[in-house]
């Protein structure tokens, strides 16, 4: 990739975020704008995948909310993300945990290491 | 400030807007360009500046072309283009113009380039025709355009009817792209949205010819 573009993207990288991988359980604190007020909303679940590179990295978090599977994709370096808390490190063998989508209840868990 | 520069498309990326929302942007190398010829009203009938950009082997040029560059006393450029004069003051032959002198953040620009060639394309890709049903009796007629006219009246096919043919590899201009950022040191600008052509393709960047509504809305013009 072009050097100028790489420099440009480097600027928007955030260095204050913890490292995590697919299978980890994270709590993402998202800034939400309601009317003219801004508040922080947590989204907690298992990281299904991390995709892209550089400033274009995104990650998908899946959780089950009232029995319904909910997935949300966040741009990793977004300024809308206040903070990411890693709650658990998962022990998984693949980078994309799409197999979790077909599972519910106890089968939809991943083994934890920490 | 001259009305534009020649450059190259470097590539695209995303940048966050004020609210944290991501938007697609294109990074363009803009200049440095050299003044290769000054068109003056007395001799040429109009005022303009011819700029050159990039490098090219002199051996790849015809003798008249070499003479043209020698007359201006500049190195051989890969591309030449003419630009309208604006209130930029006197310019000298051989003078170098850089991105920071011509563009500033917030400007609206038109970007022209040669679009990516798609070869001889059918009507579905080229004109967004809907094609025919994949089942229900369609027989060897899936990606056709259908009828192209009537019978004895008018007895001919209308001019301009959309059919298959060469797609892309033509000059395309995208109007009113907002300059997000000017990287003066690297002679590059960042514009909102997409620009025709492949990465590395040559582009002509001009201040918007018809800024219109977009400029009025935010209060700044294309100049």
């Amino acid at each position: 990739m072009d050097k100028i573009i790489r420099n440009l993207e480097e600027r928007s990288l955030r260095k204050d975020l913890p490292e995590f991988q697919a299978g980890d359980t994270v709590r993402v604190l998202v800034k939400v704008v309601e009317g003219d007020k801004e508040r922080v909303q947590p989204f907690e679940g298992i990281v299904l995948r991390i995709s892209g590179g550089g400033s274009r990295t995104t990650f998908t978090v899946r959780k089950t909310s009232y029995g319904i599977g909910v997935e949300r994709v966040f741009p990793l370096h977004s300024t809308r993300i206040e903070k990411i808390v890693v709650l658990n490190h998962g022990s998984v063998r693949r980078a994309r945990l799409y197999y979790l989508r077909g599972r519910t209840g106890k089968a939809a868990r991943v083994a934890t290491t920490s | 400030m001259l009305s534009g520069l020649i450059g190259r498309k470097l590539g695209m990326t995303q940048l966050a807007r004020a609210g944290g929302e991501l938007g697609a942007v294109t990074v363009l190398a803009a200049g440095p360009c050299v003044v290769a010829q000054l068109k003056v009203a007395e001799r040429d009938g109009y005022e303009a500046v011819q700029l050159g950009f990039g490098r090219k082997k002199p051996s790849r040029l015809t003798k008249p072309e070499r003479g043209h560059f020698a007359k201006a006393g500049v190195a051989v450029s890969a591309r030449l283009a003419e630009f309208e004069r604006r209130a930029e003051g006197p310019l000298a032959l051989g003078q170098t113009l850089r991105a920071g002198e011509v563009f500033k953040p917030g400007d609206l620009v038109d970007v022209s380039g040669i679009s990516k060639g798609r070869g001889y394309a059918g009507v579905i890709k080229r004109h967004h025709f809907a094609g025919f049903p994949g089942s229900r009796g369609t027989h060897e007629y899936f990606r056709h355009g259908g009828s192209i006219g009537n019978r004895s009246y008018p007895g001919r096919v209308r001019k301009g009817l959309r059919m298959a043919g060469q797609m892309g590899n033509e000059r395309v201009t995208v109007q009113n792209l907002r300059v997000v950022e000017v990287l003066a040191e690297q002679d590059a600008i960042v514009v909102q949205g997409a620009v025709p052509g492949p990465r590395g393709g040559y582009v002509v960047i001009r201040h918007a010819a018809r800024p219109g509504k977009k400029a009025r809305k935010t209060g700044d013009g294309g100049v």
Side-chain angles (χ1 to χ4, degrees):
Chain A
M1 206 195 313
D2 192 85
K3 210 166 64 186
I4 296 175
I5 297 180
R6 236 188 357 248
N7 285 341
L8 207 62
E9 290 185 350
E10 200 131 306
R11 272 188 345 206
S12 43
L13 297 184
R14 288 180 58 172
K15 277 135 194 143
D16 57 326
L17 301 168
E19 259 186 51
F20 59 90
Q21 288 171 339
D24 294 355
T25 306
V26 294
R27 182 185 294 142
V28 185
L29 301 170
V30 204
K31 290 183 199 160
V32 188
V33 180
E34 279 175 341
D36 53 353
K37 264 192 291 187
E38 196 182 79
R39 65 184 183 84
V40 171
Q41 188 181 59
F43 190 92
E44 192 176 315
I46 297 173
V47 178
L48 271 201
R49 66 167 171 190
I50 299 173
S51 79
S55 69
R56 298 179 310 280
T57 310
T58 61
F59 62 101
T60 305
V61 181
R62 179 182 173 89
K63 71 168 180 181
T64 306
S65 173
Y66 299 104
I68 309 281
V70 181
E71 282 179 21
R72 219 174 140 177
V73 185
F74 300 98
L76 181 62
H77 298 285
S78 170
T79 51
R80 288 256 182 98
I81 293 179
E82 166 113 0
K83 201 178 164 193
I84 299 173
V85 187
V86 182
L87 303 170
N88 254 322
H89 286 290
S91 164
V92 291
R93 291 184 164 207
R94 50 209 80 231
R96 317 253 141 143
L97 309 180
Y98 299 141
Y99 65 87
L100 290 178
R101 286 177 175 161
R103 301 191 182 182
T104 51
K106 280 191 175 178
R109 296 171 304 172
V110 297
T112 56
T113 51
S114 66
Chain B
M1 184 165 65
L2 198 64
S3 62
L5 285 178
I6 314 171
R8 285 182 100 144
K9 176 167 164 179
L10 296 178
M12 295 188 72
T13 183
Q14 313 175 317
L15 282 185
R17 300 201 191 97
E21 216 171 302
L22 292 171
V25 296
T26 307
V27 185
L28 304 168
C33 293
V34 290
V35 178
Q37 194 185 15
L38 293 166
K39 304 268 185 183
V40 289
E42 301 91 76
R43 188 183 63 223
D44 307 297
Y46 63 99
E47 295 276 337
V49 184
Q50 187 190 62
L51 295 183
F53 172 79
R55 287 280 157 274
K56 201 175 178 181
K57 278 188 189 171
S59 59
R60 299 248 192 263
L61 266 56
T62 64
K63 261 190 182 172
E65 283 169 340
R66 248 173 286 175
H68 180 75
F69 287 108
K71 197 174 169 188
V74 297
V76 169
S77 307
R79 286 286 185 285
L80 289 171
E82 265 182 36
F83 294 88
E84 251 175 62
R85 300 200 67 149
R86 308 233 171 150
E88 75 270 342
L91 288 172
L93 271 182
Q95 188 182 335
T96 305
L97 289 163
R98 309 192 51 179
E101 302 169 72
V102 181
F103 302 107
K104 61 178 187 334
D107 284 353
L108 289 176
V109 293
D110 298 342
V111 181
S112 308
I114 305 292
S115 61
K116 283 185 184 172
R118 260 125 249 234
Y120 190 95
V123 288
I124 292 184
K125 183 189 271 233
R126 192 170 181 227
H127 299 298
H128 303 303
F129 281 17
F132 284 79
S135 69
R136 297 178 198 262
T138 305
H139 181 60
E140 294 182 349
Y141 207 78
F142 294 107
R143 295 179 65 89
H144 290 230
S147 168
I148 59 167
N150 309 345
R151 202 176 175 194
S152 53
Y153 178 80
R156 61 187 174 85
V157 175
R158 293 193 321 270
K159 278 185 181 174
L161 195 73
R162 292 169 298 165
M163 293 193 202
Q166 168 67 34
M167 181 177 175
N169 193 22
E170 57 173 350
R171 187 186 166 92
V172 176
T173 303
V174 185
Q175 297 188 321
N176 297 331
L177 298 176
R178 175 89 54 199
V179 176
V180 186
E181 203 173 328
V182 177
L183 306 162
E185 274 164 49
Q186 288 116 319
D187 278 305
I189 64 170
V190 182
V191 299
Q192 228 167 59
V195 156
R199 281 189 297 271
Y202 287 98
V203 291
V204 175
I205 313 155
R206 291 174 206 275
H207 284 286
R210 304 166 70 189
K213 256 191 210 154
K214 213 167 171 178
R216 256 176 272 139
K217 207 162 65 185
T218 47
D220 52 0
V223 182

